Structure formats: structure tokens, C-alpha cells
């Protein structure tokens, strides 16, 4: 494996997407998201996605030159059309426009439709928290989980993310899929020829499996069983029904180049704590954080990711031979 700095790797990844026909803006947005996820230790949303994304661009499943557009149908609402492109430029647009709306209204929401895989859902929330906002993101994904008691996938793994600012330090970030594990680690296990733990997924016959290929053909087990399935329903409403996006069972896969654009959705909510008239948010957060961190072994959500990020910034990131070969092909590819 080769080891590269985050800046060099971001430049190479962006260059690869440009060489495969993506706009400079889309390529930079994708590279930033993938390299940051990799640095944070979220490998299922990191560099392992490069070959699949490129295949989706080549097949037309992703429009690599798409430019998202926003409208403002209500004072605190952004309606964003990802235009069948990558989700990341649409999310970037939401991040650019939401803070001013939230500070004016106290709360603002961006509903993103005609979208795609949004990667590490905590990153957009973290970006808003760094601007003093409390943020929530809901995303629907292609079908992977059956409703509780059922056998046919209806919901995706449907991630939920949250971030809150903490005065004088990095924000707290929560990022979780509503399956017991996200599909990304299963995809990564398949790529490496490794097994997965029992209890993560069921095969197509509804039996527990440790084979990642069979898991990807079957269904994921919801986090918290029936409670996780209920939350997946909630996210489907928020992230698909509100933006007018494809429901999970209508969406094509994020994992291959088959079919048309998945047209999934995201809902990003920003709340300005300064807009509630009491001015105690910072003090309340500090008290909460102190109560957690005074306990030995306890930590604020997101701390591990920050430690991984700091290490990657210092030492660089290891790039697998498979991804290295894709990046080296860039010079020979014509846009």
C-alpha cells in the first residue's frame, strides 16, 4: 500500500473524476467527501466508493456534470434539485444557504431530491455545527431492510446524523445507520474477501449469514429490531416523501452501475440555538458534556472520528492497490 497526504490524495481523486467526465466542482466535492470519510475511519463511505462511482458516471447513472439548483418556496425552506448528479454538490449548496435562513428564522430545512449516495451523513451536520447551529440529516437509501415481521425489503439502511456545537472545541457528532451495521462495511468485506459477523444480515432465504455477497442479496437486520424498523419508516417519510424522492424500493442500487439514477433524497435541518430567547445553550451543553466526560471510559459521540482524522492529517492515508490502480489510470482516460 502507498501512503499519501490528505491534500495530495484529494487532488488525485478529484483529478480522476474530472478525467472521467465530471465537472471540476462535482469532482472536488466528491473528493473532499470521500477523503474526509476515509480519514475519519469510515471506510465504507471512503475510497472504496471510487470504482463504483466512476462506473455509475460512465453508465449515466450519475450525471457527473450536473449542477444542483435551489428554490425558496417558504421562508425557512430550501428545495434543492440534485439534478441526477452526486449528492455532495447538492449538500454543499444546502450548507451554503441554510445558515443564513436558520439565523433569520431560528430554524431552516433543506429538502434534496433527485439525489444519490450521500456518504458519511455526519459530515454535513458537523459543518453546520461549526457555524453554531444544531443540525440533523436524514437520508433514504435503496431498499435493504424489511419492515419488522416482513421478508421483502422496503426501507433502506436510512442513516440519521446529528451535530451540536460545543464552545471551545469540535462539535459533537452522531452518525448511525438504522440497520445494525451500514451496508458500506459489508461492501468493503466483500471487496476484501472477508466474512462478516453473525447478526448483521439475512440472506435471500431469511437466514443469518456471514457471507457479505449473500448479505447484499438479502436484507439487513434493523438496529433495535422493531424499533429500528419504525425509525427507518420515519426517515423514509422525511427523506423521500417530503423531498418527493424515490422511495427505497423504487431506487436503483448505490453499489453498481445497473439501472437508472436512484433519485433518493435527503432532508437537512438547521436550528439556531441563539433564536430561543434564553441564551443558555452554551452553558447547558458544557454541563452535559462535563457530566459525560467525568465518567471514566465515556466520551462524546464523534471523538473517535476526530482522533482518526488527526492521525490521518499527521501520517497520511494508506491507499489500497485496487484504488491506487484506479487513480494511476487517470492520465490515460479521456474526458
Amino acid at each position: 500500500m502507498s501512503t499519501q497526504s490528505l491534500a495530495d490524495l484529494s487532488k488525485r481523486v478529484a483529478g480522476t473524476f474530472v478525467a472521467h467526465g465530471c465537472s471540476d466542482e462535482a469532482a472536488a466535492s466528491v473528493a473532499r467527501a470521500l477523503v474526509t470519510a476515509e480519514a475519519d475511519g469510515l471506510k465504507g463511505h471512503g475510497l472504496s466508493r471510487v470504482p463504483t462511482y466512476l462506473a455509475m458516471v460512465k453508465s449515466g447513472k450519475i450525471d457527473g456534470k450536473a449542477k444542483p439548483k435551489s428554490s425558496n418556496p417558504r421562508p425557512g425552506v430550501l428545495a434543492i434539485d440534485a439534478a441526477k448528479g452526486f449528492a455532495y454538490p447538492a449538500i454543499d449548496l444546502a450548507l451554503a444557504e441554510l445558515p443564513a435562513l436558520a439565523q433569520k428564522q431560528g430554524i431552516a430545512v433543506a429538502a434534496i431530491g433527485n439525489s444519490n449516495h450521500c456518504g458519511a451523513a455526519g459530515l454535513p451536520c458537523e459543518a453546520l455545527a461549526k457555524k453554531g447551529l444544531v443540525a440533523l440529516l436524514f437520508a433514504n437509501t435503496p431498499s435493504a431492510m424489511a419492515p419488522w415481521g416482513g421478508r421483502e425489503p422496503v426501507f433502506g439502511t436510512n442513516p440519521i446524523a446529528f451535530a451540536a456545537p460545543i464552545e471551545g472545541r469540535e462539535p459533537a457528532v452522531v452518525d448511525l445507520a438504522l440497520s445494525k451495521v451500514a451496508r458500506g462495511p459489508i461492501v468493503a468485506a466483500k471487496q476484501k474477501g472477508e466474512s462478516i459477523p453473525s447478526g448483521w444480515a439475512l440472506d435471500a432465504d431469511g437466514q443469518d449469514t456471514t457471507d457479505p455477497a449473500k448479505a447484499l442479496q438479502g436484507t439487513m437486520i434493523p438496529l433495535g429490531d422493531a424499533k429500528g424498523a419504525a425509525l427507518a419508516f420515519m426517515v423514509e417519510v422525511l427523506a423521500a416523501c417530503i423531498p418527493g424522492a424515490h422511495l427505497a424500493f423504487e431506487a436503483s442500487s448505490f453499489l453498481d452501475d445497473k439501472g437508472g439514477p436512484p433519485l433518493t433524497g435527503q432532508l437537512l435541518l438547521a436550528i439556531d440555538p441563539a433564536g430561543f430567547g434564553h441564551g443558555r445553550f452554551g452553558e447547558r451543553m458544557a454541563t452535559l458534556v462535563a457530566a459525560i466526560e467525568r465518567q471514566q471510559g465515556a466520551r462524546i459521540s464523534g471523538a473517535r472520528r476526530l482522533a482518526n482524522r488527526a492521525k490521518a492529517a499527521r501520517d497520511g492515508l494508506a491507499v489500497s492497490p485496487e484504488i491506487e490502480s484506479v487513480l494511476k489510470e487517470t492520465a490515460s482516460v479521456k474526458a
Side-chain angles (χ1 to χ4, degrees), residues 61-78:
K61 195 170 179 177
I62 294 176
D63 181 353
K65 295 185 182 295
K67 187 172 182 178
K69 297 178 181 178
S70 71
S71 60
N72 192 201
R74 298 283 179 89
V77 175
L78 286 175

Side-chain angles (χ1 to χ4, degrees), residues 213-254:
K214 290 182 178 180
L216 292 171
Q217 293 170 354
T219 61
M220 309 294 291
I221 297 175
L223 178 71
D225 299 328
K227 293 179 181 179
L231 287 172
F233 168 78
M234 178 192 77
V235 173
E236 203 71 27
V237 173
L238 292 170
C241 296
I242 287 178
H246 269 180
L247 297 164
F249 58 86
E250 297 171 324
S252 60
S253 175
F254 288 161

Side-chain angles (χ1 to χ4, degrees), residues 13 19 42 51 69 73 79 93-94 111 113 126 133 137 139 165 175-176 195 198 215 258 264 277 293 306 309 325:
V13 171
L42 305 173
K69 297 178 181 178
L93 180 57
E126 180 184 356
L133 302 170
L137 186 144
D175 185 348
L176 53 91
S195 62
S198 176
K258 307 298 188 294
T264 50
E293 293 187 331
L306 291 173
R309 189 183 300 176
S325 69

Side-chain angles (χ1 to χ4, degrees), residues 270-286:
I271 303 169
D272 183 4
F276 291 83
H278 55 70
R280 299 190 65 201
F281 178 79
E283 176 269 324
R284 294 285 79 198
M285 281 294 297

Side-chain angles (χ1 to χ4, degrees), residues 129-145:
K130 286 182 175 180
K131 295 184 178 181
L133 302 170
V134 174
L136 283 154
L137 186 144
F138 307 92
N140 85 316
T141 65
S143 59
M145 286 198 307

Side-chain angles (χ1 to χ4, degrees), residues 146-152 226 229:
W148 193 247
R151 294 285 295 274
E152 295 294 324

Side-chain angles (χ1 to χ4, degrees), residues 257-269:
D257 59 356
K258 307 298 188 294
L263 307 179
T264 50
Q266 293 92 33
L267 191 82
L268 185 56
L269 185 70

Side-chain angles (χ1 to χ4, degrees), residues 34 39 76 125 154 208 221 223:
L34 296 187
C125 294
V154 171
D208 185 75
I221 297 175
L223 178 71

